[in-house]
Amino acid sequence: MPNQPGSDSAIGYADLTDLVIAAPVIADATIRSAIRLKGDEAAGVAPGFTRYYVEADIGALVRGAGGLPPRIGYLVDIAPDSSGRLAKLKKTRAILFGRPVANRPDQIQLVAPDAQISWTPAEDARVRAVARALVATDAPPVITGVGNAFHVPGALPGEGETQVFLTTANGAPVSLTVLRRPGEQPRWAVALSEIVDEAAAPPARDTLLWYRLACALPADLPERSTASLAEADAGIARDDYHFILSQLGPCGRTRTIR
């Protein structure tokens, strides 16, 4: 779950990035009023959640080409805290992830029923960093699948190189490489060009490139990726792919509402 106003847990990088990617409007706002909705007005609320109609004053706009008026309204679903109590929303500061509502400039629709998080300087900085990374000229592409994999044995036992090519939404090249040398730990790297150079390295955790890989790669190397390899080489390629996944670690998504 996102760290809703009143909670003290930070939202994970993958959940945060999901929200930033989905939201054409991201705003820093202070909640002016929150009215609890019941009956038909709360239709479709997930079990355990409570729906509110919120009016909030905009403090800053992180993203939103069309701008927003000083005060907006929206619906949000809130879960109780670990003590079973609902947070007091009024006067709290939140970051909203939404989209415009047609013909209603004073309204937004959250990109998910729970798509608001508590504002803190740290969370504000994280949101802005993700938003900048997504539009950077060197932003890593969206990974859509795994292409061909190759393994070339070295001259010594236990030596070799595996390369796995990924498919992307815009056709940009992305490849993963694992180098094995006798007596050494395997080393892996990701390249965002046709050429893998010595400077290639694994992505730092909680970066956009890490997210693109950790949250998109399948749990196993597809059989078609190694169809042209000898079985021994295909087995090493599969092992090396699992090594990469273990180094990336889990994506870490925890949100249950989409």
Side-chain angles (χ1 to χ4, degrees):
M1 284 300 306
N3 60 326
Q4 297 170 333
S7 73
D8 56 5
S9 59
I11 183 173
Y13 184 86
D15 287 331
L16 182 69
T17 304
D18 286 344
L19 289 173
V20 175
I21 289 172
V25 173
I26 304 174
D28 166 3
T30 299
I31 295 175
R32 183 179 183 87
S33 65
I35 301 173
R36 185 172 179 174
L37 303 181
K38 299 179 180 180
D40 292 344
E41 293 179 319
V45 175
F49 284 74
T50 299
R51 178 163 295 171
Y52 291 87
Y53 175 72
V54 173
E55 288 193 343
D57 295 327
I58 301 299
L61 196 59
V62 177
R63 175 192 289 167
L68 287 175
R71 184 173 299 163
I72 60 167
Y74 61 94
L75 299 176
V76 63
D77 294 353
I78 299 292
D81 62 20
S82 56
S83 301
R85 293 174 297 190
L86 288 169
K88 294 182 179 179
L89 298 179
K90 189 175 180 179
K91 297 183 179 180
T92 60
R93 191 171 173 183
I95 302 174
L96 313 177
F97 302 86
R99 59 177 65 90
V101 175
N103 303 317
R104 292 294 304 273
D106 63 337
Q107 300 285 309
I108 66 169
Q109 179 187 28
L110 297 184
V111 296
D114 62 338
Q116 73 173 25
I117 64 175
S118 293
W119 185 96
T120 66
E123 291 295 75
D124 183 83
R126 292 174 73 211
V127 170
R128 291 175 185 273
V130 173
R132 287 194 301 270
L134 286 166
V135 297
T137 55
D138 60 349
V142 174
I143 306 299
T144 56
V146 179
N148 290 329
F150 300 94
H151 177 75
V152 179
L156 300 174
E159 185 178 55
E161 176 178 344
T162 295
Q163 193 167 16
V164 180
F165 292 91
L166 306 181
T167 58
T168 61
N170 63 358
V174 178
S175 62
L176 310 172
T177 302
V178 177
L179 292 175
R180 293 182 178 271
R181 293 190 174 91
E184 297 181 12
Q185 289 294 319
R187 293 189 297 113
W188 81 280
V190 56
L192 302 179
S193 67
E194 299 285 358
I195 301 173
V196 180
D197 58 32
E198 293 296 327
R205 188 176 177 86
D206 290 356
T207 60
L208 185 57
L209 180 54
W210 171 86
Y211 165 89
R212 292 296 196 205
L213 297 170
C215 297
L217 292 178
D220 297 294
L221 196 62
E223 290 188 13
R224 56 178 168 71
S225 298
T226 57
S228 64
L229 300 181
E231 182 51 40
D233 291 340
I236 296 173
R238 288 191 290 268
D239 290 344
D240 285 344
Y241 180 79
H242 286 140
F243 169 73
I244 291 170
L245 294 185
S246 70
Q247 294 296 297
L248 284 168
C251 168
R253 286 188 173 112
T254 61
R255 293 178 60 245
T256 57
I257 295 181
R258 298 287 172 186

